[in-house]
């Protein structure tokens, strides 16, 4: 398989090289007949942008044939193309956002969602919810129905699905319509991601796997609870690791990013020097000790000012509102107290065993 892949790539490059050399030879013949010895930046850029012929090869072949290349003109043409591409992308993004913003406005006007938009149920310990389909989008455009096999974005007035933020990945799961009187669902949709396209609007990204989903249909939204449990264990695990890092390395060691996924966690932190193997082993043991102590993981809402006064850590420049959620555990809740919005287990023992697999520097 690898040999075949390499052969295909070599064949494609050979075709590009042959085509480019032929076009360049024709161009030099025309220029020579006109008494010119410089290949314009526009022509060099066309060879690269349209036909994939590298500009350094244009320069080398031209030099061997007594020609020069307008390098300044090439860079100018390249910058103009980048700017056009950037403007097109910005226009597309603005158009995309407008579709979602208009949809949210319509849903509020029809009172299909609240004034704050889609109700997020992640902190109400809800894994499933009976709801309805209030919006459908296919390829970024609103539609009234989507058939089996279609990639779709589904909007519900409320959802138990977590939306990726703060390093924690989105939930996955299923949406379906299964009336009591039927033996099979009318439709099902596998949800692989969720996104907050504009503030107040959450879309469930997935594929219709059975039937036809329509705007106005009743729906059941169900997250993959086993996957959510794995994510929660890893998320609380990042708080445990943060606590032992500061305990072992010092208060200067603080979080600078993270990934919380079902299969692993990654924790980015600041430190002045590499962490040696003995320190890693000791921190791993401290983490497991903290887990086995089985501290209750407490979550509560309070004002930002009061949370900071009580010693809660506000992490790496995140923006917080007037009301914040504090996650804490340990002796007198003092081992870990952070402002955080993700999902967590109820006690540290639910994390299970903790192992540091790999450590590395970002610079």
């Amino acid at each position: 398989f690898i040999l075949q892949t390499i052969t295909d790539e070599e064949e494609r490059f050979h075709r590009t090289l042959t085509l480019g050399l032929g076009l360049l030879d024709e161009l030099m013949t025309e220029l020579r007949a006109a008494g010119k010895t410089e290949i314009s930046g526009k022509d060099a850029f066309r060879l690269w942008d349209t036909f994939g012929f590298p500009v350094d090869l244009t320069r080398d072949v031209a030099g061997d044939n007594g020609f020069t290349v307008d390098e300044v003109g090439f860079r100018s043409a390249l910058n103009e193309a980048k700017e056009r591409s950037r403007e097109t992308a910005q226009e597309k993004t603005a158009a995309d956002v407008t579709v979602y913003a208009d949809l949210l406005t319509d849903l509020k006007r029809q009172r299909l969602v609240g004034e704050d938009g889609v109700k997020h149920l992640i902190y109400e310990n809800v894994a499933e919810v009976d709801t309805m389909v209030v919006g459908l989008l296919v390829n970024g455009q609103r539609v009234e129905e989507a058939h089996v096999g279609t990639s779709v974005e589904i909007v519900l007035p409320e959802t138990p699905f977590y939306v990726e933020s703060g390093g924690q990945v989105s939930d996955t799961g299923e949406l379906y319509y299964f009336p009591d009187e039927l033996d099979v669902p009318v439709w099902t949709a596998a949800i692989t991601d969720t996104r907050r396209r504009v503030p107040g609007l959450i879309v469930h990204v997935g594929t219709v796997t059975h039937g036809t989903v329509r705007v106005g249909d009743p729906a059941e939204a169900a997250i993959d609870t086993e996957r959510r449990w794995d994510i929660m264990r890893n998320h609380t695990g990042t708080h445990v690791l943060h606590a032992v890092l500061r305990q072992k390395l010092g208060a200067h060691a603080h979080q600078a990013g993270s990934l919380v996924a079902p299969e692993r966690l990654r924790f980015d932190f600041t430190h002045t020097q590499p962490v040696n193997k003995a320190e890693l082993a000791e921190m791993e043991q401290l983490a497991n000790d903290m887990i086995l102590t089985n501290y209750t993981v407490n979550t509560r809402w309070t004002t930002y000012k009061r949370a900071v006064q009580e010693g809660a850590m506000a992490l790496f420049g995140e923006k917080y509102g007037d009301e914040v959620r504090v996650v804490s555990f340990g002796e007198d809740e003092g081992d870990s107290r952070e402002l955080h919005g993700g999902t967590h287990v109820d006690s540290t023992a639910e994390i299970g065993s903790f192992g540091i697999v790999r450590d590395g520097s970002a610079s």
Side-chain angles (χ1 to χ4, degrees), residues 132-150:
M132 67 179 292
V133 177
V134 295
L136 287 171
L137 300 103
V138 175
N139 295 324
Q141 300 299 316
R142 294 172 64 175
V143 297
E144 289 300 310
E145 61 182 37
H147 305 284
V148 63
T150 303

Side-chain angles (χ1 to χ4, degrees), residues 4-222:
Q4 182 62 46
T5 301
I6 292 174
T7 300
D8 290 344
E9 290 177 353
E10 288 180 341
E11 184 178 347
R12 285 193 296 271
F13 179 73
H14 177 71
R15 289 198 298 266
T16 298
L17 190 63
T18 302
L19 176 62
L21 287 171
L23 292 170
L24 182 56
D25 185 60
E26 291 178 5
L27 176 62
M28 289 188 295
T29 299
E30 293 175 2
L31 292 173
R32 193 177 289 110
K36 299 179 180 179
T37 59
E38 183 182 67
I39 296 173
S40 71
K42 182 178 179 180
D43 284 331
F45 178 75
R46 184 176 63 88
L47 285 169
W48 174 76
D49 185 53
T50 304
F51 303 103
F53 194 72
V55 67
D56 55 342
L57 287 183
T58 298
R59 185 190 306 114
D60 291 344
V61 174
D64 290 342
N65 287 270
F67 286 84
T68 59
V69 176
D70 179 8
E71 304 272 357
V72 174
F74 173 82
R75 287 193 295 271
S76 177
L78 176 61
N79 290 334
E80 288 177 6
K82 287 181 177 179
E83 185 60 32
R84 286 194 300 271
S85 177
R86 188 180 301 112
E87 289 173 355
T88 301
Q90 290 172 345
E91 289 172 1
K92 183 178 185 302
T93 300
D96 291 345
V97 170
T98 299
V99 171
Y100 295 107
D102 289 346
L103 172 58
L104 180 59
T105 299
D106 287 348
L107 295 178
K108 288 181 178 180
R109 179 176 50 80
Q110 299 175 56
R111 298 186 178 179
L112 294 173
V113 299
E115 281 303 311
D116 294 331
V118 174
K119 186 177 181 182
H120 212 181
L121 305 173
I122 57 170
Y123 302 131
E124 299 180 24
N125 197 28
V126 174
E128 296 186 26
V129 61
D130 289 317
T131 181
M132 67 179 292
V133 177
V134 295
L136 287 171
L137 300 103
V138 175
N139 295 324
Q141 300 299 316
R142 294 172 64 175
V143 297
E144 289 300 310
E145 61 182 37
H147 305 284
V148 63
T150 303
S151 296
V152 66
E153 294 179 333
I154 302 176
V155 182
L156 311 172
E158 59 275 311
T159 180
F161 283 72
Y162 186 84
V163 183
E164 181 176 347
S165 64
Q168 180 175 329
V169 299
S170 295
D171 281 325
T172 61
E174 189 176 46
L175 305 182
Y176 56 90
Y177 174 26
F178 202 154
D180 294 336
E181 65 271 17
L182 296 183
D183 295 328
V184 294
V186 175
W187 58 262
T188 59
I191 303 304
T192 56
D193 199 5
T194 51
R195 286 283 179 255
R196 188 177 280 105
R197 296 302 192 190
V198 293
L201 186 72
I202 295 170
V203 299
H204 303 76
V205 182
T207 304
V208 181
T209 53
H210 171 75
T212 298
V213 54
R214 295 178 172 87
V215 173
D217 278 352
E220 181 85 8

Side-chain angles (χ1 to χ4, degrees), residues 232-234 236-238 240 291 345 347-354:
M232 291 194 300
R233 281 191 278 265
N234 280 334
T236 307
T238 65
V240 170
I291 290 168
V345 295
S347 64
T348 57
E350 292 176 330
I351 297 172
S353 59
F354 187 98

Side-chain angles (χ1 to χ4, degrees), residues 7 22 38 44-45 85 87 94 133-134 148 216 223 242 247 300 305-306 309 325 341 363:
T7 300
E38 183 182 67
F45 178 75
S85 177
E87 289 173 355
V133 177
V134 295
V148 63
I223 66 170
H242 197 182
Q247 180 180 334
R300 61 188 176 88
K305 183 177 180 181
R306 182 171 182 178
Q309 287 175 343
R325 182 166 175 263
S363 62

